[in-house]
């Protein structure tokens, strides 16, 4: 694989063989940022689970104390009073059948997160095959299927992120922007890791946090000592 000059330069600033402690590691991650935009900082956590088994799935959501630095567009599937509640709470798009048709016919994805009231799940189910692969399908485990739509919207806007182990046993989650600085990124990282550790399946055996790598959008991965969490 070929890398650009900035990436190669960033590589020189880190020790590829070292397992960094959290604060020192985040300083190193920030130091690798060479882009002209405010890069996202993302954590990649390999877990000691086998996602092929239902009892070893790791999935949930957590509100990061300092947010993600990203403006999140929220779509809410609701009717009547709940639709008005969603609008008042700051949802970007609110509707029912018309939004389902728009997604079906126009392949429209002008949103980042979907929330739905339980009574709307039959309707939303018609586009499950469209939303699912994009990670947009509302789910009770992540708090996006709820009657308390105002709370769900507030949490999402405040920095709620979902985490879910993929087929390679890795969880990929953004924890903020380079501009946050070490202290805020560390608070977000600690909150995320606490949530993932608490979500450990009983069926998981051996070492749970196998590895933790954090990188900016354009930078190289920095290896962290996952046992510090």
């Amino acid at each position: 694989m070929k890398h650009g000059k900035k990436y190669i330069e960033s590589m020189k600033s880190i020790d590829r063989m070292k397992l960094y402690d959290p604060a020192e590691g985040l300083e190193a991650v920030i130091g690798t940022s060479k882009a002209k935009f405010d890069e996202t900082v993302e954590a990649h956590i390999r877990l000691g689970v086998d996602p092929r088994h239902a009892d070893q799935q790791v999935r949930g959501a957590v509100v990061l104390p300092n947010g993600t630095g990203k403006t999140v567009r929220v779509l809410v599937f609701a009717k009547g009073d709940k639709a008005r509640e969603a609008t008042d709470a700051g949802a970007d798009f609110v509707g029912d059948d018309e939004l389902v048709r728009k997604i079906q016919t126009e392949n429209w994805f002008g949103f980042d997160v979907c929330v739905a009231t339980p009574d709307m799940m039959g309707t939303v189910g018609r586009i499950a095959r469209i939303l699912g692969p994009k990670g947009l399908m509302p789910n009770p485990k992540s708090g996006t299927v709820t009657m308390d739509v105002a709370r769900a919207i507030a949490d999402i806007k405040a920095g709620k992120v979902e985490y879910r182990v993929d087929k390679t046993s890795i969880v990929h989650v953004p924890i903020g922007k380079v501009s946050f600085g070490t202290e805020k990124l560390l608070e977000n990282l600690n909150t995320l890791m606490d949530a993932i550790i608490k979500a450990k399946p009983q069926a998981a055996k051996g070492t749970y946090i196998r590895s933790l790598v954090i990188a900016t959008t354009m930078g190289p991965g920095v290896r962290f000592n996952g046992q510090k969490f």
Side-chain angles (χ1 to χ4, degrees), residues 100-111:
V100 171
R101 285 193 294 270
K102 185 177 178 70
I103 293 169
Q104 281 179 319
T105 61
E106 300 178 21
N107 199 34
W108 173 71
F109 293 102
F111 51 92

Side-chain angles (χ1 to χ4, degrees), residues 45-59 164-171 201 203-204 208 210:
I45 309 146
R46 183 182 296 279
L47 301 177
V49 298
D50 187 344
R52 294 174 297 178
H53 299 294
D55 61 354
Q56 294 191 47
Q57 290 294 316
V58 178
R59 181 174 187 176
R164 183 179 186 180
V165 67
D166 65 14
K167 62 182 180 181
T168 63
S169 303
I170 300 176
V171 175
Y208 181 53
R210 294 286 179 85

Side-chain angles (χ1 to χ4, degrees), residues 82-132:
K82 288 299 173 182
R84 287 187 288 274
E85 181 183 327
T87 300
D88 293 343
D92 299 276
F93 308 99
V94 182
D96 43 64
D97 294 283
E98 76 277 8
L99 286 178
V100 171
R101 285 193 294 270
K102 185 177 178 70
I103 293 169
Q104 281 179 319
T105 61
E106 300 178 21
N107 199 34
W108 173 71
F109 293 102
F111 51 92
D112 304 297
V113 180
C114 281
V115 175
T117 53
D119 59 299
M120 288 298 300
M121 287 307 291
T123 300
V124 179
R126 302 205 305 263
I127 52 174
R129 291 185 178 181
I130 301 174
L131 298 179

